[in-house]
Amino acid sequence: MMRVGIVFSSLILVMPLVGCGGCDQEAYVMQSGPMITVNPPQLDFGEVPKGMMVTKTIEVLNPGEMALVFESTDLNDENGVFTVDVPQDQVAISGSIEIAVTFTPTDFEAYEATFMLVSNAENKKTATITFMGEGTADSFCGDCNTPPQNQCLS
């Protein structure tokens, strides 16, 4: 009788394991490629005195799961008043970089330019950023009895 109990107990322990040896199970995970997000998509320098320089930054983020690589950059600036400094040619996975943009107006007028980043991003191959600024009088001085209003240059 004891022998029947041991065999029966062994079958109860082995039975649940029989279903586990059948099929291999594989899991497939989709990995997203590089992505690009530009902040801000438009950079307005406002009023800047002629001959002065103002620098602002653009943040380029890569929320993707592969490195974002810049294939080319192109600044379309007919007046030559904007300069762009791209510190590296790629953005790491889930990383970001800052691009410095400098505006130096040469005359008393409004300026506009576009900057294009061509990359391997899956969401947008070409990211376009617009730059704007206005050259104003190179002197803030006026009549000593009526000084000009305070103005922030950055």
Side-chain angles (χ1 to χ4, degrees):
M1 178 80 163
M2 177 113 157
R3 190 175 210 158
V4 173
I6 292 175
V7 170
F8 182 69
S9 296
S10 297
L11 284 174
I12 292 175
L13 292 175
V14 174
M15 288 300 282
L17 299 177
V18 172
C20 293
C23 302
D24 289 335
Q25 293 184 2
E26 296 182 23
Y28 296 96
V29 178
M30 287 211 55
Q31 183 177 25
S32 76
M35 308 281 275
I36 190 167
T37 303
V38 178
N39 187 30
Q42 178 174 301
L43 204 54
D44 189 351
F45 287 86
E47 293 182 351
V48 176
K50 174 184 167 186
M52 297 274 301
M53 244 184 349
V54 175
T55 300
K56 293 188 175 189
T57 58
I58 299 168
E59 184 177 29
V60 178
L61 299 102
N62 174 17
E65 296 174 344
M66 294 177 70
L68 173 69
V69 178
F70 302 132
E71 296 167 0
S72 67
T73 60
D74 182 36
L75 174 61
N76 183 5
D77 177 14
E78 294 176 6
N79 299 293
V81 295
F82 295 98
T83 57
V84 179
D85 179 27
V86 181
Q88 57 199 55
D89 63 353
Q90 64 180 313
V91 182
I93 298 167
S94 298
S96 67
I97 64 166
E98 286 193 350
I99 295 177
V101 181
T102 303
F103 173 52
T104 311
T106 56
D107 212 342
F108 311 121
E109 63 180 279
Y111 297 95
E112 189 170 309
T114 55
F115 179 65
M116 291 180 284
L117 278 168
V118 179
S119 69
N120 65 337
E122 288 186 351
N123 63 326
K124 187 187 298 186
K125 292 291 182 194
T126 303
T128 303
I129 304 113
T130 303
F131 305 147
M132 295 169 288
E134 186 176 346
T136 59
D138 56 354
S139 174
F140 286 114
C141 293
D143 180 8
C144 290
N145 295 325
T146 55
Q149 292 181 351
N150 291 336
Q151 183 176 358
C152 182
L153 296 178
S154 60

